[in-house]
């Protein structure tokens, strides 16, 4: 195998792992995908070390005459997209069991990475329903459902605007939950039958890092202690930011005695 081809295979494998990691995949799944793609192309010796913030891969053919290639990809952003994880999984199975070329594989990965998400309007409606349904689940009534529906839409849009401005996840969660608490307090003060606690809880559930918590436990069980600790720390810090954001507004509201419009 010539050096150029080996390098292209390595880039392809890391690209697949990168898409999966950014979409919220587990560490073991990312490492297994990268390893399988490399071995399917005749690279027998593959060492993969993946973290939520980077992928490290070293390959060689196993003989003293062959060169060793090391590839490092730094990951700076991530979001949950289970559809991308599923599609890359399907791609890796197809690539390892058919005669798909590296160039064809890169085209498929480009298509997966560039796939359009659901329209913004659909995501806003879904976020609203999530907040509203959780408010009812935690004991709220019909009025709480309606207020949480509106508040969830506002907080989700605000979150997307902060993300577009490259605001880090701690400040983003803090600001969004502070806004949710403010809306809930104003509504409960001026609308009879509204309960601010149920409304705030419903909106907070939009930002709870459930995937990070689940993946951190899965990484611990797989023996990936470093990534498990990292993801657990991220989930803990995110949870703290949500509590701080809502808590600050509640405390200020208590100090000033509330506002009646």
């Amino acid at each position: 195998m010539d050096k150029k081809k080996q390098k292209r295979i390595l880039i392809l494998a890391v690209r697949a792992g990168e898409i999966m990691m950014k979409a919220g995949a587990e560490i073991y799944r990312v490492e297994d995908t990268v390893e399988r793609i490399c071995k399917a192309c005749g690279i027998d010796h593959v060492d993969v070390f993946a973290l939520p913030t980077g992928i490290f891969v070293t390959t060689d053919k196993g003989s003293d005459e062959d060169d060793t290639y090391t590839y490092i990809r730094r990951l700076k952003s991530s979001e949950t997209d289970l559809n991308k994880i599923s599609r890359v999984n399907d791609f890796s199975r197809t690539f390892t069991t058919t005669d798909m070329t590296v160039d064809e594989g890169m085209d498929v990965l480009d298509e997966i990475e560039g796939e359009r998400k659901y329209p913004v309007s659909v995501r806003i409606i879904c976020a609203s329903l999530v907040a509203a349904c959780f408010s009812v689940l935690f004991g709220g009534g019909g009025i709480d459902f309606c207020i949480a529906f509106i508040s969830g839409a506002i907080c989700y849009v605000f979150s997307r605007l902060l993300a577009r401005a490259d605001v880090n996840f701690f400040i983003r969660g803090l600001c969004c939950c502070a806004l949710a608490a403010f809306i809930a307090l104003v509504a409960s003060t001026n609308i009879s039958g509204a309960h601010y606690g149920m409304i705030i809880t419903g909106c907070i559930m939009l930002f709870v890092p459930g995937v990070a918590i689940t993946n951190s436990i899965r990484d611990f069980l797989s023996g990936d202690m470093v990534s498990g600790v990292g993801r657990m720390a991220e989930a803990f810090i995110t949870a703290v930011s949500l509590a701080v954001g809502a808590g600050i507004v509640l405390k200020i509201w208590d100090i000033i005695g509330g506002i009646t419009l």
Side-chain angles (χ1 to χ4, degrees), residues 64 68 110 128 134 177 213 216 238 245 252:
D64 296 335
T68 299
D110 287 338
S128 299
F134 268 113
C177 286
I213 295 173
S216 67
T238 302
I252 294 175

Side-chain angles (χ1 to χ4, degrees), residues 100-116:
M100 181 183 295
T101 65
V102 176
D103 290 333
E104 291 173 343
M106 289 298 295
D107 291 338
V108 173
L109 293 179
D110 287 338
E111 179 186 350
I112 294 174
E113 189 170 28
E115 181 182 31
R116 295 186 61 184

Side-chain angles (χ1 to χ4, degrees), residues 27 52 212 215-217 219-220 224-233:
I27 294 297
N215 282 344
S216 67
I217 296 174
D219 291 341
F220 277 126
D224 298 311
M225 308 305 291
V226 176
S227 60
V229 171
R231 279 177 165 163
M232 184 63 73

Side-chain angles (χ1 to χ4, degrees), residues 41-64:
C41 295
I43 303 175
D44 299 324
H45 295 76
V46 183
D47 289 311
V48 187
F49 180 61
L51 294 171
T53 55
I55 301 176
F56 308 81
V57 185
T58 298
T59 64
D60 63 62
K61 293 293 292 179
S63 65
D64 296 335

Side-chain angles (χ1 to χ4, degrees), residues 24 26 80 205 207-221 227-240 242:
E26 308 94 317
T80 303
M205 293 304 294
F207 308 102
V208 171
V211 174
I213 295 173
T214 302
N215 282 344
S216 67
I217 296 174
R218 182 66 181 83
D219 291 341
F220 277 126
L221 296 177
S227 60
V229 171
R231 279 177 165 163
M232 184 63 73
E234 177 187 353
F236 175 77
I237 293 173
T238 302
V240 169
L242 304 183

Side-chain angles (χ1 to χ4, degrees), residues 118-129:
Y118 293 105
V120 175
S121 58
V122 174
R123 284 182 278 169
I124 292 175
I125 292 174
C126 290
S128 299
L129 287 173

Side-chain angles (χ1 to χ4, degrees), residues 13-26:
V14 174
R15 179 77 179 282
E18 177 187 9
I19 295 174
M20 296 185 75
M21 186 68 76
K22 286 184 175 181
E26 308 94 317

